[in-house]
Amino acid sequence: MTEEVKNQLDQIGNIVDEKIEKAFNAAQDNAKGEVEASLKSEISNLTNKYNEEFEAATKRMDAIEMESKKTLSGATAKTFKGSLEAALKDGAIDAMIKGSTNAARFEVKAGDMTMANAFTGVVAGETVIPDVKFDPSRAVHIRSLIPNGSTDAQTIRFPKESAYDDGAAATAQGSTLGQSDFDITATSVNVEKIGTFMRITEEMLADTPQLTSYLSARVPNKVLSIEDTEILNGDGSSPNLDGLFTDGAAFVTSSSANFYQSIESANEYDVLIAALDQLAASNYQADSIILNPVDFHKIVLLKSTANEYLKNQVIQGVQPAIMGVPITLNTAVTAGKFLVGNLSVATQLWIRDGLGVEFSREDSTNFRDGFVTVRAQERCALTNYQPNAIVQGTFSTAKTALETS
């Protein structure tokens, strides 16, 4: 009932009450208790008017209530799923099912697609992948290409031939044999340490699934990547290792080389063949070629004068190789450089303390602040026994030496 209708009925009711009270007082004053006829008639009319107004108001309220129910029944919240089901029931894709068309389209109003109309809070479930995703580490580390040994010493000492004067010759009967001399030099390298550490909170370890496994896999591979750099490029000054590029024999660019200025349009492939020849001239059998991926892919893209790829000379099965010598790709090799070697005899990696990962609260203020220190380290040494079993150089310089004048 509206406030206006209520006020009207109240006014009529008040008037009726006044008239009845007046009639009652008049009856008391009249000895006979009779009420004037005019007053009776006035009260009767007001009562009838009140009843009519009340009845009319009740009918209006009933009509409003019915209309509200109809509106509410038709105001069902629409969802994308509901709209989709309704469209399918109305035959939105019947033509496509029957084969008369290859596509079907129907429109769903933007307002129907808001999830807020249908969902409150987190309704849909969540799928949590526990493993931490990260870019891969190197597929092959240099340590897997060379012999490994173990030691409990701080220093590795070994004798190495530093010179040899060969006097061997065919000698006539009664003649003096030619004299040969050699020099042996004691060489030593120190065990060096490679490693890293990080501090993480106790909450990270407790609340992040698979974090310990992630750290145990990820961090050591990062240390091995630094080991690759040391094995290849270390300058021998502590705490660096003696690297293969540092100790290995240089690619010969002088006129004493077998292919000096003898190759037309010399390319990277020609350089590697010449390096294999230089190694063979010292009686070594190459077992490894190590390149930066960029230089290897340059070789794969090389073409003949007829614009034909030369890759069939490089790719042999799954393992890339040149003349049967496997090629290893490693980003620790500086782009533009190459190394060809008989690594099984040229060098050896010595392990004093194997690569390990440790977790500890005993570091600085870790216990007080709720941190855990993760440390990954190893101690190792590299002994390069025979530098001539390695040929290393730069492609640009080598190509210039090979190019015909």
Side-chain angles (χ1 to χ4, degrees), residues 128-141:
V128 179
I129 307 299
D131 295 335
V132 181
K133 306 303 179 185
F134 54 89
D135 291 330
S137 301
R138 291 171 184 154
V140 178
H141 292 288

PDB file of all heavy atoms in Angstrom, residues 128-141:
ATOM      1  N   VAL A 128      47.217 -26.812 -10.255  1.00  0.00           N
ATOM      2  CA  VAL A 128      48.540 -26.296  -9.926  1.00  0.00           C
ATOM      3  C   VAL A 128      49.599 -27.283 -10.397  1.00  0.00           C
ATOM      4  O   VAL A 128      49.580 -28.449 -10.020  1.00  0.00           O
ATOM      5  CB  VAL A 128      48.684 -26.058  -8.405  1.00  0.00           C
ATOM      6  CG1 VAL A 128      50.080 -25.545  -8.076  1.00  0.00           C
ATOM      7  CG2 VAL A 128      47.619 -25.068  -7.923  1.00  0.00           C
ATOM      8  N   ILE A 129      50.513 -26.807 -11.248  1.00  0.00           N
ATOM      9  CA  ILE A 129      51.623 -27.621 -11.721  1.00  0.00           C
ATOM     10  C   ILE A 129      52.776 -27.460 -10.737  1.00  0.00           C
ATOM     11  O   ILE A 129      53.293 -26.355 -10.556  1.00  0.00           O
ATOM     12  CB  ILE A 129      52.081 -27.190 -13.127  1.00  0.00           C
ATOM     13  CG1 ILE A 129      50.878 -27.161 -14.090  1.00  0.00           C
ATOM     14  CG2 ILE A 129      53.171 -28.106 -13.638  1.00  0.00           C
ATOM     15  CD1 ILE A 129      50.202 -28.492 -14.258  1.00  0.00           C
ATOM     16  N   PRO A 130      53.199 -28.521 -10.071  1.00  0.00           N
ATOM     17  CA  PRO A 130      54.195 -28.372  -9.017  1.00  0.00           C
ATOM     18  C   PRO A 130      55.603 -28.080  -9.516  1.00  0.00           C
ATOM     19  O   PRO A 130      56.365 -27.400  -8.854  1.00  0.00           O
ATOM     20  CB  PRO A 130      54.145 -29.728  -8.293  1.00  0.00           C
ATOM     21  CG  PRO A 130      53.657 -30.685  -9.329  1.00  0.00           C
ATOM     22  CD  PRO A 130      52.706 -29.905 -10.192  1.00  0.00           C
ATOM     23  N   ASP A 131      55.968 -28.583 -10.686  1.00  0.00           N
ATOM     24  CA  ASP A 131      57.336 -28.419 -11.168  1.00  0.00           C
ATOM     25  C   ASP A 131      57.592 -26.986 -11.614  1.00  0.00           C
ATOM     26  O   ASP A 131      56.754 -26.359 -12.263  1.00  0.00           O
ATOM     27  CB  ASP A 131      57.602 -29.361 -12.347  1.00  0.00           C
ATOM     28  CG  ASP A 131      57.524 -30.824 -11.924  1.00  0.00           C
ATOM     29  OD1 ASP A 131      57.741 -31.093 -10.740  1.00  0.00           O
ATOM     30  OD2 ASP A 131      57.229 -31.673 -12.784  1.00  0.00           O
ATOM     31  N   VAL A 132      58.773 -26.463 -11.286  1.00  0.00           N
ATOM     32  CA  VAL A 132      59.177 -25.133 -11.721  1.00  0.00           C
ATOM     33  C   VAL A 132      59.692 -25.240 -13.148  1.00  0.00           C
ATOM     34  O   VAL A 132      60.533 -26.090 -13.463  1.00  0.00           O
ATOM     35  CB  VAL A 132      60.274 -24.562 -10.807  1.00  0.00           C
ATOM     36  CG1 VAL A 132      60.676 -23.173 -11.257  1.00  0.00           C
ATOM     37  CG2 VAL A 132      59.771 -24.530  -9.366  1.00  0.00           C
ATOM     38  N   LYS A 133      59.201 -24.387 -14.032  1.00  0.00           N
ATOM     39  CA  LYS A 133      59.602 -24.416 -15.439  1.00  0.00           C
ATOM     40  C   LYS A 133      60.754 -23.442 -15.669  1.00  0.00           C
ATOM     41  O   LYS A 133      60.733 -22.317 -15.178  1.00  0.00           O
ATOM     42  CB  LYS A 133      58.421 -24.055 -16.344  1.00  0.00           C
ATOM     43  CG  LYS A 133      57.174 -24.894 -16.110  1.00  0.00           C
ATOM     44  CD  LYS A 133      57.438 -26.381 -16.277  1.00  0.00           C
ATOM     45  CE  LYS A 133      56.191 -27.210 -16.017  1.00  0.00           C
ATOM     46  NZ  LYS A 133      56.477 -28.660 -16.057  1.00  0.00           N
ATOM     47  N   PHE A 134      61.778 -23.872 -16.405  1.00  0.00           N
ATOM     48  CA  PHE A 134      62.918 -23.006 -16.686  1.00  0.00           C
ATOM     49  C   PHE A 134      63.585 -23.445 -17.982  1.00  0.00           C
ATOM     50  O   PHE A 134      63.403 -24.566 -18.447  1.00  0.00           O
ATOM     51  CB  PHE A 134      63.929 -23.048 -15.530  1.00  0.00           C
ATOM     52  CG  PHE A 134      64.396 -24.430 -15.153  1.00  0.00           C
ATOM     53  CD1 PHE A 134      65.502 -24.993 -15.766  1.00  0.00           C
ATOM     54  CD2 PHE A 134      63.722 -25.166 -14.187  1.00  0.00           C
ATOM     55  CE1 PHE A 134      65.938 -26.267 -15.425  1.00  0.00           C
ATOM     56  CE2 PHE A 134      64.151 -26.436 -13.824  1.00  0.00           C
ATOM     57  CZ  PHE A 134      65.258 -26.987 -14.449  1.00  0.00           C
ATOM     58  N   ASP A 135      64.352 -22.504 -18.574  1.00  0.00           N
ATOM     59  CA  ASP A 135      65.060 -22.816 -19.807  1.00  0.00           C
ATOM     60  C   ASP A 135      66.091 -23.913 -19.548  1.00  0.00           C
ATOM     61  O   ASP A 135      66.698 -23.974 -18.476  1.00  0.00           O
ATOM     62  CB  ASP A 135      65.765 -21.567 -20.348  1.00  0.00           C
ATOM     63  CG  ASP A 135      64.772 -20.535 -20.863  1.00  0.00           C
ATOM     64  OD1 ASP A 135      63.694 -20.950 -21.323  1.00  0.00           O
ATOM     65  OD2 ASP A 135      65.065 -19.329 -20.804  1.00  0.00           O
ATOM     66  N   PRO A 136      66.313 -24.767 -20.538  1.00  0.00           N
ATOM     67  CA  PRO A 136      67.217 -25.904 -20.312  1.00  0.00           C
ATOM     68  C   PRO A 136      68.670 -25.469 -20.170  1.00  0.00           C
ATOM     69  O   PRO A 136      69.076 -24.402 -20.646  1.00  0.00           O
ATOM     70  CB  PRO A 136      67.014 -26.754 -21.571  1.00  0.00           C
ATOM     71  CG  PRO A 136      66.574 -25.784 -22.610  1.00  0.00           C
ATOM     72  CD  PRO A 136      65.727 -24.771 -21.891  1.00  0.00           C
ATOM     73  N   SER A 137      69.436 -26.312 -19.514  1.00  0.00           N
ATOM     74  CA  SER A 137      70.883 -26.114 -19.431  1.00  0.00           C
ATOM     75  C   SER A 137      71.529 -26.786 -20.647  1.00  0.00           C
ATOM     76  O   SER A 137      70.849 -27.388 -21.485  1.00  0.00           O
ATOM     77  CB  SER A 137      71.421 -26.717 -18.137  1.00  0.00           C
ATOM     78  OG  SER A 137      70.812 -26.124 -17.005  1.00  0.00           O
ATOM     79  N   ARG A 138      72.834 -26.673 -20.741  1.00  0.00           N
ATOM     80  CA  ARG A 138      73.533 -27.291 -21.871  1.00  0.00           C
ATOM     81  C   ARG A 138      73.335 -28.797 -21.874  1.00  0.00           C
ATOM     82  O   ARG A 138      73.406 -29.438 -20.827  1.00  0.00           O
ATOM     83  CB  ARG A 138      75.023 -26.970 -21.796  1.00  0.00           C
ATOM     84  CG  ARG A 138      75.318 -25.503 -22.068  1.00  0.00           C
ATOM     85  CD  ARG A 138      76.762 -25.160 -21.787  1.00  0.00           C
ATOM     86  NE  ARG A 138      76.985 -23.727 -21.970  1.00  0.00           N
ATOM     87  CZ  ARG A 138      77.941 -23.036 -21.366  1.00  0.00           C
ATOM     88  NH1 ARG A 138      78.757 -23.661 -20.530  1.00  0.00           N
ATOM     89  NH2 ARG A 138      78.066 -21.741 -21.576  1.00  0.00           N
ATOM     90  N   ALA A 139      73.094 -29.321 -23.045  1.00  0.00           N
ATOM     91  CA  ALA A 139      72.855 -30.764 -23.160  1.00  0.00           C
ATOM     92  C   ALA A 139      74.115 -31.559 -22.861  1.00  0.00           C
ATOM     93  O   ALA A 139      74.058 -32.648 -22.283  1.00  0.00           O
ATOM     94  CB  ALA A 139      72.331 -31.092 -24.555  1.00  0.00           C
ATOM     95  N   VAL A 140      75.266 -31.018 -23.269  1.00  0.00           N
ATOM     96  CA  VAL A 140      76.538 -31.709 -23.068  1.00  0.00           C
ATOM     97  C   VAL A 140      77.531 -30.745 -22.434  1.00  0.00           C
ATOM     98  O   VAL A 140      77.731 -29.635 -22.935  1.00  0.00           O
ATOM     99  CB  VAL A 140      77.113 -32.235 -24.403  1.00  0.00           C
ATOM    100  CG1 VAL A 140      78.458 -32.910 -24.174  1.00  0.00           C
ATOM    101  CG2 VAL A 140      76.129 -33.195 -25.066  1.00  0.00           C
ATOM    102  N   HIS A 141      78.129 -31.165 -21.325  1.00  0.00           N
ATOM    103  CA  HIS A 141      79.182 -30.375 -20.694  1.00  0.00           C
ATOM    104  C   HIS A 141      80.540 -30.933 -21.113  1.00  0.00           C
ATOM    105  O   HIS A 141      80.685 -32.133 -21.396  1.00  0.00           O
ATOM    106  CB  HIS A 141      79.032 -30.399 -19.178  1.00  0.00           C
ATOM    107  CG  HIS A 141      77.812 -29.663 -18.687  1.00  0.00           C
ATOM    108  ND1 HIS A 141      77.712 -28.292 -18.717  1.00  0.00           N
ATOM    109  CD2 HIS A 141      76.647 -30.110 -18.181  1.00  0.00           C
ATOM    110  CE1 HIS A 141      76.535 -27.921 -18.227  1.00  0.00           C
ATOM    111  NE2 HIS A 141      75.867 -29.012 -17.904  1.00  0.00           N
TER     112      HIS A 141
END
